[in-house]
Amino acid sequence: MASHNLFPCLLPLLATLLTQAFAADFMYPFNCSATIKTCDASLYHINKGLQLEQVASFYNVNITQISPIFRGDEQDYFVSVPCSCQDINGTIAYFYDASYLVQQNDTFRNVSDLIYSGQAWNDGDEEGRFITGNLVPMHLLCGCVDSESQVVGTYTVQQNDTISDIASRLSSTVSGILSLNSALIQDPSFLVVGWVLFVPMKQIDNGAPAPSPSPYMN
């Protein structure tokens, strides 16, 4: 009898786990503005062991477009890219395209997760084009806002993240993050690892996001 009584108690937990499993795949592209066609944006690259030269190559940028950012004791990177309004198979939104040469045993999902921090948009036929030797565009989500003092960063939620922590680390605000991600964040206290967020960040004079302080600085 006791085992039967446990089942109703497990239902909320199972529902939560299923919600998280599906929600982790959710990403919403940043809708284009009627007045802004292009802008400078930043993509947050989660450092999984790539050398700086490799990061630059995969994102098709110069090393000077890459800035370090600290997450606790870990050093990740911001990649500055030109963001533009595009029509990707019927989805009109802001993207940055990086060309990727498909290697043996690659899948779109693995490449997106391991190299592009899960920020690549699947237009519905990506796996069909992921053939060894093909040069394929990776449509990376980015965003533009009508503000000279802000740049939009594309950020992938990581373990133990909270909105306030993200805001502090990326020179943003909780309200700013909520305003750009209302379709995804229904409860400010609930984040799922893998969600792709747009973060309005303060920028310095050269157009790059203001860097987070090193954990080793006083």
Side-chain angles (χ1 to χ4, degrees):
M1 182 68 66
S3 61
H4 290 294
N5 290 338
L6 284 175
F7 185 73
C9 298
L10 291 175
L11 286 178
L13 175 61
L14 291 173
T16 298
L17 292 175
L18 287 172
T19 298
Q20 292 180 348
F22 287 109
D25 288 331
F26 283 0
M27 57 172 65
Y28 289 85
F30 198 113
N31 292 331
C32 295
S33 162
T35 58
I36 306 173
K37 299 305 178 184
T38 62
C39 73
D40 292 327
S42 289
L43 309 179
Y44 191 104
H45 173 80
I46 301 171
N47 187 1
K48 295 186 177 180
L50 293 177
Q51 299 297 314
L52 191 60
E53 293 78 8
Q54 292 175 299
V55 176
S57 177
F58 283 129
Y59 282 88
N60 308 152
V61 299
N62 191 285
I63 289 179
T64 58
Q65 293 171 250
I66 302 175
S67 305
I69 182 167
F70 290 92
R71 177 173 53 89
D73 293 335
E74 302 293 328
Q75 178 179 291
D76 293 330
Y77 297 105
F78 260 127
V79 184
S80 296
V81 299
C83 182
S84 63
C85 181
Q86 301 184 48
D87 184 342
I88 305 298
N89 200 23
T91 299
I92 301 175
Y94 290 113
F95 297 95
Y96 168 71
D97 286 351
S99 297
Y100 177 78
L101 182 63
V102 180
Q103 306 297 308
Q104 189 173 8
N105 299 321
D106 275 347
T107 66
F108 169 80
R109 179 63 179 267
N110 286 344
V111 170
S112 177
D113 287 346
L114 295 176
I115 298 177
Y116 301 106
S117 303
Q119 297 170 5
W121 178 253
N122 190 333
D123 67 8
D125 190 35
E126 294 296 347
E127 295 294 356
R129 291 196 291 269
F130 245 65
I131 300 172
T132 302
N134 275 5
L135 190 65
V136 298
M138 300 296 288
H139 307 298
L140 307 179
L141 300 184
C142 56
C144 298
V145 291
D146 188 12
S147 172
E148 295 182 356
S149 63
Q150 287 185 329
V151 60
V152 175
T154 304
Y155 179 79
T156 304
V157 175
Q158 301 176 71
Q159 194 70 40
N160 300 320
D161 273 347
T162 65
I163 294 182
S164 59
D165 287 342
I166 295 171
S168 176
R169 191 186 324 139
L170 304 191
S171 300
S172 185
T173 63
V174 170
S175 60
I177 294 174
L178 293 176
S179 68
L180 293 191
N181 300 278
S182 58
L184 189 58
I185 302 176
Q186 304 299 319
D187 179 355
S189 65
F190 178 75
L191 290 179
V192 175
V193 172
W195 277 1
V196 177
L197 305 180
F198 299 108
V199 180
M201 305 181 298
K202 296 178 182 177
Q203 64 179 10
I204 53 181
D205 292 340
N206 64 1
S212 63
S214 164
Y216 307 108
M217 295 176 62
N218 293 327

